[in-house]
Amino acid sequence: MVDEAATLPEDPGSLRELVISLRGMVRERSAERDLAYAALKFKTLELEKLRMQLAQLRRKQFGQSSEKLSREVAQLELAIEEIEAGEAVVMPAAAADAPEAVAEAGETGATERVRPARRRLPSHLPRETVVHAPAAVCPDCGGATHRLGEDRSEVLEYVPGHFKVIEHVRPKVSCRGCEAIHQAPTPALPIERGRPGPGLLTHVLIGKYGNHLPLYRQAEIYARDGVELSRSTLAGWVGRAAFELRPLVEAIAAHVLAADKIHGDDTPVPVLAPGTGKTATGRLWAYVRDDRPFAGTAAPAVFYCYSPDRKGIHPQGHLSGFRGILQADGYAGFGELYESGGISEVACWAHVRRKFFDIHKTTGAPLAGQALEQIGALYGVEDAGRGLPPHLRCAIRQSRAGPLLDKLKAWLEATLQRISGKSEIAVAIRYARSRWEQLTRYRDDGRLEIDNNAAERSISAIALGRKNWLFAGSHSGGERAAAIYSLTETAKLNGIDPEAWLRDVLARLAAHPAKRIGELLPWNCATAQHQPAAAA
């Protein structure tokens, strides 16, 4: 206190300014606290409203079978689980195991969060005991130690095929010489002081994002094995896991954006408007780095971003730090990126081909068939250069694809002169001609691809799952999905089982130095090179 007083200004005017400044800081912090409390109260009220709507719909559902009612129930289940997953990021880590108690505190108007009560883990599950032995001699004085007692904690774990309980035992010892008490440190868990082991947490994440099983359905499945895990508990785990895994997602994004060339694409994602039975349309964007076709040594990776709409400002933000070549479709929102001068555009022949294919399939038009035949010849050239270094691919394309491109361009121009400008064929031809420069850049650069299929493949995995989960529970749920998909799909690109890799990562992440997060990436994580471990 004496030192602090010595640093205060002696001049009354300066003291007055300091007091005014401190008062302002106090008011700002008070306002921030009030805003945070108001946001928490709003979330609690919103959650309670959704739960009431869900209860009403369930009563109606049991009274009268209706496909529409079942869909609305599923929508509300998803909306609630996304809110609960979002709450897990701001609540204490241990509360992610039992967020129902936290919700109850909000419903009764309590201003302080209560410590959640944990249920006992099922007694019928197999149990494994891990003893964390303390030091045999006192680390402080080297004296002999004697046992005082022990602490026990249980973790619910999942290994392929079944659940089990792992009991961690940490004996306490006391030094006979200096009377210091010692104990092995608490084992590092994916969620600090949480109940789920890394295998179970991974199983829940893969179930939701890999197998597209909403959490309420997973809870029903686990209950059949005698393991009672509520949807809100699972949602807490998912939210906390997504939060803890952010450094890995950021590392993958940095790796993708460090490339000279990437692929980009997007797909619509229906997003719930809770209680209305309607959906909005968000977007999921995929950005892919894959140098394997030209014998590049960098690991392939994909990172996803979510946005509530398809405005160009979103990809402009995603790629603000990227400088290089972007291979994508003709989406106008990429225009400002190209105009900035830091990003070069390369177009996609698959999009051109698709337009002629749709016409030919619908009408059987001979001209569309001729276009397909010539584009097919271009793809035939690609087979000869796949996997070769850039300079060899470039040489093959210039000698073989170059004349084919010249011939196709002449055919497009001649055909356009003799058909109706309003015909579908004319529309397809104008699409190709307007992008001719961007379509032919691949011929002179062996790093480029003839099409954007690398990004479309990354999107197709999401589109297939969308048929099952139909919609995202909220915008924040879309962001969590984008993060987890970045991890699982990148693992797949590297030929690694995503569940085996994530299990290993979550087992190591809590104790892993943040500066060495790159060691846990799929292509660097040695233990992830194996297929999923057999049941223990």
Side-chain angles (χ1 to χ4, degrees):
M1 292 294 294
V2 174
D3 291 340
E4 292 178 4
T7 62
L8 293 174
E10 297 180 359
D11 176 57
S14 299
L15 278 172
R16 189 180 300 108
E17 291 178 2
L18 178 60
V19 171
I20 293 171
S21 174
L22 290 174
R23 284 178 176 173
M25 291 173 61
V26 170
R27 282 195 296 269
E28 287 178 5
R29 291 180 180 178
S30 177
E32 290 175 358
R33 185 172 60 251
D34 291 344
L35 284 173
Y37 176 72
L40 177 61
K41 188 174 181 181
F42 176 78
K43 283 282 188 183
T44 302
L45 291 173
E46 182 182 11
L47 191 56
E48 177 61 17
K49 179 182 177 182
L50 291 175
R51 283 174 172 159
M52 289 180 64
Q53 292 176 352
L54 179 59
Q56 292 170 355
L57 285 173
R58 279 176 170 164
R59 285 195 293 272
K60 292 179 181 179
Q61 187 182 33
F62 290 130
Q64 177 182 0
S65 178
S66 166
E67 182 178 344
K68 181 179 179 181
L69 281 177
S70 296
R71 180 182 177 87
E72 290 184 13
V73 167
Q75 287 180 336
L76 284 174
E77 291 276 14
L78 277 175
I80 291 172
E81 79 178 43
E82 295 298 359
I83 291 175
E84 290 169 336
E87 284 186 337
V89 177
V90 296
M91 69 173 61
D97 273 351
E100 302 98 324
V102 178
E104 289 168 4
E107 292 164 18
T108 57
T111 57
E112 295 183 1
R113 293 179 179 269
V114 300
R115 186 178 181 85
R118 290 180 171 177
R119 300 187 184 96
R120 290 183 61 83
L121 294 178
S123 58
H124 70 277
L125 295 179
R127 274 169 161 72
E128 174 184 321
T129 299
V130 177
V131 178
H132 303 269
V137 296
C138 178
D140 296 335
C141 70
T145 62
H146 68 280
R147 187 161 178 162
L148 291 178
E150 64 187 20
D151 289 335
R152 290 175 176 262
S153 59
E154 290 186 335
V155 171
L156 182 61
E157 184 59 292
Y158 181 86
V159 294
H162 67 274
F163 289 92
K164 69 177 181 179
V165 175
I166 298 178
E167 184 178 34
H168 293 278
V169 180
R170 296 185 300 124
K172 292 180 181 178
V173 296
S174 173
C175 175
R176 296 185 184 277
C178 66
E179 297 186 355
I181 297 175
H182 301 285
Q183 187 179 35
T186 303
L189 295 171
I191 298 176
E192 186 181 1
R193 303 188 305 279
R195 273 286 177 86
L200 176 56
L201 194 54
T202 299
H203 191 65
V204 172
L205 290 173
I206 295 297
K208 179 174 173 62
Y209 298 105
N211 300 326
H212 316 293
L213 281 172
L215 298 180
Y216 72 92
R217 290 184 182 172
Q218 291 193 51
E220 293 169 354
I221 293 170
Y222 300 154
R224 291 198 292 269
D225 284 340
V227 179
E228 297 290 341
L229 294 172
S230 69
R231 179 206 57 235
S232 55
T233 294
L234 296 177
W237 294 353
V238 167
R240 197 71 200 179
F243 177 79
E244 299 294 345
L245 288 166
R246 286 185 311 167
L248 272 172
V249 178
E250 292 167 0
I252 287 174
H255 175 75
V256 171
L257 297 181
D260 296 328
K261 181 265 299 183
I262 62 174
H263 296 262
D265 200 2
D266 68 291
T267 189
V269 178
V271 183
L272 295 178
T276 67
K278 299 179 181 179
T279 59
T281 302
R283 309 296 297 194
L284 203 62
W285 306 78
Y287 301 102
V288 183
R289 175 179 188 173
D290 193 349
D291 300 344
R292 293 174 297 178
F294 59 87
T297 57
V302 54
F303 86 95
Y304 297 86
C305 298
Y306 172 83
S307 66
D309 52 55
R310 207 192 184 204
K311 294 178 181 177
I313 189 173
H314 301 301
Q316 291 160 24
H318 304 157
L319 301 180
S320 60
F322 174 68
R323 295 295 179 270
I325 299 166
L326 173 62
Q327 190 150 17
D329 59 19
Y331 169 56
F334 290 132
E336 287 196 24
L337 289 170
Y338 303 138
E339 292 171 6
S340 69
I343 298 179
S344 301
E345 178 184 8
V346 176
C348 171
W349 273 102
H351 279 77
V352 176
R353 182 187 182 280
R354 197 169 296 134
K355 293 183 180 297
F356 289 108
F357 177 82
D358 291 342
I359 296 170
H360 189 261
K361 185 176 181 180
T362 303
T363 67
L367 289 176
Q370 293 175 32
L372 290 174
E373 184 177 345
Q374 294 185 71
I375 295 172
L378 294 174
Y379 273 87
V381 174
E382 291 304 293
D383 293 337
R386 188 167 291 111
L388 296 179
H391 69 283
L392 294 179
R393 292 205 335 155
C394 181
I396 292 172
R397 287 170 173 173
Q398 287 180 339
S399 63
R400 296 176 55 183
L404 295 175
L405 287 167
D406 293 340
K407 177 183 175 183
L408 177 55
K409 183 180 181 182
W411 181 87
L412 292 172
E413 292 175 348
T415 302
L416 190 60
Q417 297 299 318
R418 58 190 180 90
I419 61 175
S420 169
K422 297 181 179 180
S423 67
E424 292 297 319
I425 289 283
V427 172
I429 290 176
R430 284 196 295 269
Y431 177 86
R433 291 182 68 217
S434 66
R435 292 165 174 76
W436 193 256
E437 181 181 352
Q438 294 84 356
L439 284 167
T440 56
R441 281 179 178 159
Y442 85 98
R443 172 194 56 200
D444 303 315
D445 190 334
R447 298 171 300 168
L448 306 182
E449 299 304 308
I450 191 173
D451 55 34
N452 195 38
N453 284 352
E456 292 197 10
R457 284 192 295 270
S458 294
I459 287 294
S460 65
I462 310 304
L464 286 173
R466 189 174 58 212
K467 294 179 181 179
N468 289 337
W469 46 265
L470 301 179
F471 29 61
S474 66
H475 292 310
S476 60
E479 292 170 357
R480 270 189 296 276
I484 302 302
Y485 282 133
S486 297
L487 301 173
T488 57
E489 296 302 313
T490 294
K492 291 178 185 178
L493 282 177
N494 286 273
I496 292 170
D497 178 80
E499 186 163 359
W501 170 65
L502 268 182
R503 187 190 307 123
D504 180 71
V505 165
L506 287 171
R508 300 166 56 187
L509 188 60
H512 194 82
K515 293 182 179 180
R516 292 162 44 197
I517 196 68
E519 295 175 3
L520 298 182
L521 291 169
W523 53 90
N524 291 332
C525 198
T527 56
Q529 307 304 320
H530 304 292
Q531 292 299 311

